[in-house]
Amino acid sequence: MPTAKRVQLVLDVMCAWSYLGYNRLLHALSQYRAEGGEAELSFRPYQLAPHVSSRGEPVLDALRRGFGEAAAAETKRVAAVAADEGIELRYDRAIATNTFEAHRLIASASHQGLGEPMVERLFRAHFTDGVNVGDPDALAGLAAEVGVTAPSVSADEVRAALDEVKSSGVTGIPVFRFEGGETLTGFQPTEALLGALRGADPSRRGG
């Protein structure tokens, strides 16, 4: 039996480029698996705004306050890129919030074999549906939609994972880590992700 290639995606559910990168990675994984390859996808947490309150506020207001009007205007360009990828980004609805508990939910879902659909649902909840993905009740509803049961990962485990990612030198996301192969950072073409999958050697630790 061939050894499955392990792929890690470092992300935050409030990061549009993580969402778009994840979408392209899924396309690459689908093509790779169609070729007969085996791959396992896992997720590592990163917080773009770790000190933001889980009460939430409109993303556009947060961008204007923190980075000026130009940052808010830039969302139109990002939304246009997303539309070309078949993804709807509704910045007029999106809520800036603390994503710590969302990362905890992703980790719990991953333990239950539901990491991929949970990540997709969280991205869509934040960027399309205008859900506050820092609100415990909202997260419970999203978990129920996907079929994830009570959290099985502690807050301390999530903090440790966040610290590990920071200590590894990650300063921007998304990051795609291919065990035994490349590490790619930023919004990548699907072909680059597929090439990294094909080139990774699962017998060689690292990546």
Side-chain angles (χ1 to χ4, degrees):
M1 293 289 293
T3 303
K5 295 182 178 181
R6 297 178 183 177
V7 183
Q8 278 188 354
L9 174 59
V10 184
L11 58 81
D12 193 3
V13 296
M14 282 206 306
C15 172
W17 299 117
S18 290
Y19 189 7
L20 299 180
Y22 176 55
N23 187 58
R24 287 190 175 181
L25 179 59
L26 289 184
H27 287 308
L29 285 167
S30 177
Q31 186 169 338
Y32 179 71
R33 289 163 177 160
E35 295 170 355
E38 294 188 16
E40 297 176 357
L41 175 59
S42 61
F43 303 98
R44 301 296 285 170
Y46 186 90
Q47 286 191 280
L48 290 174
H51 304 299
V52 169
S53 169
S54 61
R55 291 191 301 272
E57 69 170 314
V59 160
L60 292 177
D61 290 350
L63 287 172
R64 290 188 180 100
R65 187 182 67 255
F67 305 101
E69 189 62 40
E74 174 68 5
T75 61
K76 294 181 180 179
R77 185 185 73 84
V78 179
V81 173
D84 288 341
E85 303 278 325
I87 292 174
E88 183 183 21
L89 300 186
R90 290 294 304 272
Y91 281 101
D92 58 319
R93 296 178 179 175
I95 303 297
T97 190
N98 192 292
T99 56
F100 183 90
E101 290 298 331
H103 284 300
R104 186 180 178 191
L105 177 54
I106 291 169
S108 296
S110 296
H111 283 192
Q112 298 171 37
L114 294 169
E116 291 185 26
M118 193 72 257
V119 166
E120 189 281 331
R121 187 65 189 99
L122 284 164
F123 275 135
R124 185 158 43 90
H126 173 68
F127 280 104
T128 305
D129 300 336
V131 173
N132 179 351
V133 295
D135 177 76
D137 290 338
L139 290 173
L142 295 171
E145 283 186 37
V146 175
V148 177
T149 57
S152 55
V153 173
S154 70
D156 285 343
E157 289 177 88
V158 178
R159 291 188 191 97
L162 287 164
D163 288 343
E164 181 277 325
V165 168
K166 282 186 178 180
S167 66
S168 72
V170 172
T171 57
I173 51 175
V175 177
F176 308 86
R177 297 170 170 170
F178 298 86
E179 185 178 42
E182 297 180 83
T183 294
L184 303 177
T185 301
F187 187 42
Q188 298 290 328
T190 301
E191 283 303 315
L193 299 170
L194 181 59
L197 270 168
R198 290 169 174 160
D201 179 1
S203 68
R204 180 165 60 86
R205 306 298 295 183

